[in-house]
Amino acid sequence: MNLQSFMAEDFMLNDSFVRYCLQSNEEDVVFWTDWIARNPHKKAETDKAREWVLRLGVKLNAAEKLEEFNKLRAMIETDQVITTPRRNYMPYVAAAVLAGCIAFAWMWKKQPSGNVQVPAIAYKTYRADSARKQIVLADGTTVILNRNSVLQVPANYNEQERHLILSGEALCDVQKDEARPFTVSAGNTRVQVLGTVFKVRAYLFDSGVKVSLLSGKVKVAAADAARELQPGETLEAQDGRLIPGNFDVAREQDWRRGRLFFRDASLKELAAQLEYWYGIKVHIKPGNYPAIHFNGEFMNKSLPEVLASISYITNLKTVIQKDELFINH
Amino acid sequence: MASNNLVPVALTNSDKNIAQIPVQRSSSATGEGLSVFWNELQQHNEHGLYKIYHELYDSLYHYGISVVPDTQMVKEGINDVFVELWKKREQLIMPDHIPNYIFICFKRRLSKLLGKETKRSAKYVGELFQEPEEQPYEAVLINLESDGQLRHKMENVLAQLTARQKEFIRLRFYENMSMEEISQQTAASVRTIYNTLHTAIVQLRKIMSFLFLTLMWYFEK
């Protein structure tokens, strides 16, 4: 079977290719995504073949399905947060004092050296453990909470002010409301906003807290300094100081859409991208690795799914221990 | 049966009689597999709902299109059903057969949406149905082309294919059967099926490039 001589009709009659079109088998998807990336001269034929597999099968393509799914999610998650509180981590009937104690206990455990203040009010806690989560708050602000992150929303959120407490990483699309200032704190760093889209990264394994501004205007305050940020800029708070920089806007947009993309990625790039994307510390075990050129595209996939695909293509071994990822050959 | 109750708490016997399961053979969606997700849904975990959605989406879409040649209406109908399931999650009883149950809800939804449409335009007059009728595969393919010129071309090309060619195309791509399964069902050899399909698709290619160019043009816009 020489794939180089395949025309559209040959691809259409290949079972593995059909499974790739229908996205019904992860290995076939990985194989063909990679093959097409390495054989761009065949892309016209494979595109044609895929179009026809879906047309004759009377199916929506992946992008159309995702669009529909996102509509559903928007309807369900809005309804849920506004009308019924989540029950996963906070007992429904718990008194405010008890809830306060739980929040306090959690903060104590997470930040033993920080200046912890006992919160006098109840918090609703959102956790994104294994997969990212989208949250719509009472004022219409949406927060994409990355994997391995925790967000605390005070019960009086949106009354006089809007304040969130973050550990991990979150992208906030803030509803404009000048009467109620919006702030996010992560450790000792505080971000204050009007209506904007920005991202805060504050994982415990990172050296500092990083704020990236996608649109609008924010003010970042660390222990010893405060600064305003322009769209496209990033500020990293380290030891009370603020270090300015820029970020890749296209990359953040991909992140927002849930599109994880590798083009000809080396081992180092692979590791960096996974650490950035999934909020997990990645270690590469020392050794002699063969050269790696990984291609692939993932839409809203979990870390284990992506790791399985990468291992299948590159023969790298991966293992997660104590929420850190180790790559081995 | 009144269609105003979109997501009934439990099915009546008359509902069970009209139920058919058009769940595709490729789908892993068996009733038992989905019950885990159903439990998650009832425990207020939206991911349970999402998993059921992904499992059944293709089958529901497939069926919807064969009844109503309107992709927008079908997509809306599917999402409506799942939003409704989420809203009523506390009252729902685990159905005997989950795909079957959701399928009936979807049928009712389509029937309701079609009812509205009929009032607005005369397009679907005579299609106000008790039990929606599935159109043959060939008609579905033709109706899916919204552009008049393409529709005409599709019709012409399909008319040139033999009944056997069309049957194999339907089984392979629409029913998603493997070559071996088609062989068992039709008593033709795998080689014959492959060759017949190959010739048919080459013939389809006559309009392929034309359709493809049009599509590219839509994207450029």
Side-chain angles (χ1 to χ4, degrees):
Chain A
M1 187 168 63
N2 180 10
L3 294 177
Q4 292 301 332
S5 63
F6 265 33
M7 300 299 280
E9 55 270 20
D10 304 305
F11 287 117
M12 285 174 72
L13 291 176
N14 181 292
D15 287 344
S16 160
F17 186 82
V18 171
R19 286 193 295 266
Y20 152 72
C21 297
L22 304 180
Q23 303 204 303
S24 57
N25 178 303
E26 197 66 32
E27 282 175 13
D28 293 314
V29 173
V30 171
F31 173 82
W32 286 103
T33 311
D34 180 64
W35 190 85
I36 294 164
R38 282 188 289 108
N39 297 278
H41 59 287
K42 297 303 273 188
K43 196 170 182 302
E45 288 296 310
T46 56
D47 278 352
K48 246 189 246 177
R50 185 167 62 169
E51 170 64 28
W52 273 83
V53 166
L54 295 173
R55 178 185 292 265
L56 292 175
V58 189
K59 298 223 171 40
L60 291 181
N61 65 37
E64 290 169 318
K65 262 196 225 173
L66 184 70
E67 196 188 326
E68 289 308 305
F69 178 58
N70 283 338
K71 280 187 207 161
L72 177 79
R73 266 178 72 168
M75 283 189 274
I76 280 172
E77 280 159 39
T78 313
D79 164 67
Q80 179 185 8
V81 174
I82 292 173
T83 59
T84 51
R86 293 184 69 87
R87 296 174 171 190
N88 299 8
Y89 297 97
M90 282 291 157
Y92 228 178
V93 291
V97 179
L98 178 62
C101 289
I102 294 170
F104 170 64
W106 172 84
M107 286 178 72
W108 185 253
K109 206 182 99 208
K110 280 285 191 197
Q111 299 172 305
S113 58
N115 322 334
V116 182
Q117 290 169 350
V118 183
I121 41 160
Y123 287 90
K124 203 186 285 176
T125 306
Y126 296 91
R127 284 164 194 272
D129 294 332
S130 56
R132 66 161 71 172
K133 204 168 240 178
Q134 185 162 352
I135 300 155
V136 183
L137 299 170
D139 61 332
T141 292
T142 56
V143 178
I144 301 177
L145 195 58
N146 200 9
R147 197 189 152 279
N148 189 18
S149 305
V150 181
L151 183 75
Q152 290 185 284
V153 185
N156 66 357
Y157 178 86
N158 207 29
E159 281 171 19
Q160 273 107 47
E161 54 158 24
R162 300 175 288 170
H163 180 226
L164 304 174
I165 299 168
L166 173 75
S167 159
E169 185 172 36
L171 183 133
C172 310
D173 189 343
V174 182
Q175 280 292 325
K176 207 164 187 165
D177 183 353
E178 284 170 30
R180 295 183 192 86
F182 183 99
T183 49
V184 177
S185 44
N188 290 329
T189 310
R190 216 172 149 96
V191 189
Q192 195 183 58
V193 230
L194 295 170
T196 66
V197 184
F198 70 100
K199 196 174 177 193
V200 179
R201 184 176 173 105
Y203 283 115
L204 293 174
F205 61 76
D206 284 334
S207 52
V209 174
K210 197 168 182 180
V211 181
S212 310
L213 182 64
L214 282 85
S215 70
K217 204 182 212 181
V218 298
K219 191 174 179 184
V220 182
D224 308 331
R227 238 185 113 127
E228 270 187 11
L229 209 54
Q230 299 302 319
E233 284 180 356
T234 164
L235 274 178
E236 194 164 355
Q238 257 181 28
D239 310 323
R241 289 176 307 124
L242 291 172
I243 305 155
N246 294 310
F247 66 90
D248 185 342
V249 178
R251 192 185 184 201
E252 285 307 331
Q253 276 163 354
D254 276 348
W255 185 88
R256 210 174 165 187
R257 284 170 51 213
R259 177 174 181 260
L260 172 58
F261 186 70
F262 297 95
R263 167 152 275 174
D264 210 18
S266 68
L267 180 61
K268 226 174 140 188
E269 286 164 345
L270 244 165
Q273 182 78 330
L274 290 172
E275 183 166 312
Y276 155 77
W277 195 268
Y278 289 104
I280 187 168
K281 182 74 198 161
V282 182
H283 304 274
I284 301 170
K285 291 211 170 148
N288 290 324
Y289 290 86
I292 283 171
H293 302 276
F294 183 73
N295 288 295
E297 183 179 342
F298 302 91
M299 286 304 291
N300 293 307
K301 290 281 185 259
S302 71
L303 180 61
E305 286 174 297
V306 171
L307 288 180
S309 304
I310 291 174
S311 306
Y312 177 74
I313 291 288
T314 61
N315 287 325
L316 290 169
K317 291 185 184 64
T318 58
V319 57
I320 297 177
Q321 277 171 354
K322 293 184 184 149
D323 218 20
E324 298 196 346
L325 173 67
F326 295 87
I327 299 180
N328 206 342
H329 56 82
Chain B
M1 187 72 205
S3 65
N4 53 0
N5 186 10
L6 179 58
V7 181
V9 172
L11 292 179
T12 62
N13 279 329
S14 65
D15 276 327
K16 283 177 186 162
N17 289 339
I18 60 160
Q20 298 152 11
I21 324 143
V23 174
Q24 282 188 281
R25 36 194 314 121
S26 66
S27 169
S28 55
T30 57
E32 298 98 70
L34 290 178
S35 60
V36 179
F37 307 149
W38 186 275
N39 281 331
E40 286 178 359
L41 157 70
Q42 293 204 301
Q43 283 153 15
H44 310 281
N45 181 347
E46 66 275 21
H47 293 284
L49 182 82
Y50 296 160
K51 284 174 206 152
I52 300 177
Y53 183 84
H54 291 307
E55 286 288 338
L56 296 182
Y57 198 92
D58 278 347
S59 302
L60 289 170
Y61 182 78
H62 215 262
Y63 169 77
I65 288 295
S66 75
V67 178
V68 188
D70 182 337
T71 51
Q72 214 46 46
M73 193 190 282
V74 171
K75 287 192 270 189
E76 244 172 61
I78 298 174
N79 277 1
D80 288 347
V81 168
F82 281 84
V83 169
E84 204 63 26
L85 279 175
W86 180 251
K87 283 189 189 154
K88 286 204 182 166
R89 62 190 182 276
E90 286 179 7
Q91 306 146 31
L92 295 176
I93 298 162
M94 166 101 60
D96 295 341
H97 193 281
I98 294 164
N100 230 343
Y101 171 79
I102 292 177
F103 181 67
I104 291 171
C105 299
F106 179 52
K107 253 184 188 176
R108 292 181 171 192
R109 185 69 206 163
L110 279 182
S111 162
K112 207 176 165 191
L113 284 175
L114 263 184
K116 262 191 219 160
E117 194 77 6
T118 324
K119 277 172 206 155
R120 262 188 274 132
S121 76
K123 201 178 163 195
Y124 295 109
V125 165
E127 284 182 40
L128 235 189
F129 47 87
Q130 285 290 306
E131 176 77 2
E133 212 167 291
E134 280 187 69
Q135 297 191 354
Y137 175 51
E138 205 175 328
V140 171
L141 277 185
I142 295 166
N143 285 333
L144 266 185
E145 304 298 340
S146 46
D147 180 284
Q149 217 184 339
L150 289 183
R151 218 167 140 136
H152 192 64
K153 275 196 184 273
M154 184 62 114
E155 223 173 332
N156 281 346
V157 172
L158 288 175
Q160 284 167 25
L161 298 179
T162 64
R164 200 176 162 82
Q165 283 176 321
K166 278 185 275 199
E167 177 66 359
F168 286 159
I169 288 181
R170 185 179 70 82
L171 294 173
R172 177 68 195 95
F173 296 103
Y174 193 60
E175 304 292 340
N176 199 20
M177 287 167 74
S178 70
M179 301 278 184
E180 286 74 22
E181 286 168 320
I182 300 174
S183 167
Q184 277 164 20
Q185 181 162 328
T186 61
S189 73
V190 171
R191 184 82 280 189
T192 310
I193 297 165
Y194 188 94
N195 290 341
T196 312
L197 276 172
H198 199 273
T199 325
I201 296 172
V202 171
Q203 262 175 280
L204 277 175
R205 271 191 79 141
K206 288 177 194 162
I207 63 163
M208 257 186 191
S209 45
F210 180 79
L211 282 174
F212 191 69
L213 281 176
T214 325
L215 275 169
M216 290 304 284
W217 181 75
Y218 279 131
F219 285 126
E220 301 279 312
K221 268 206 310 191

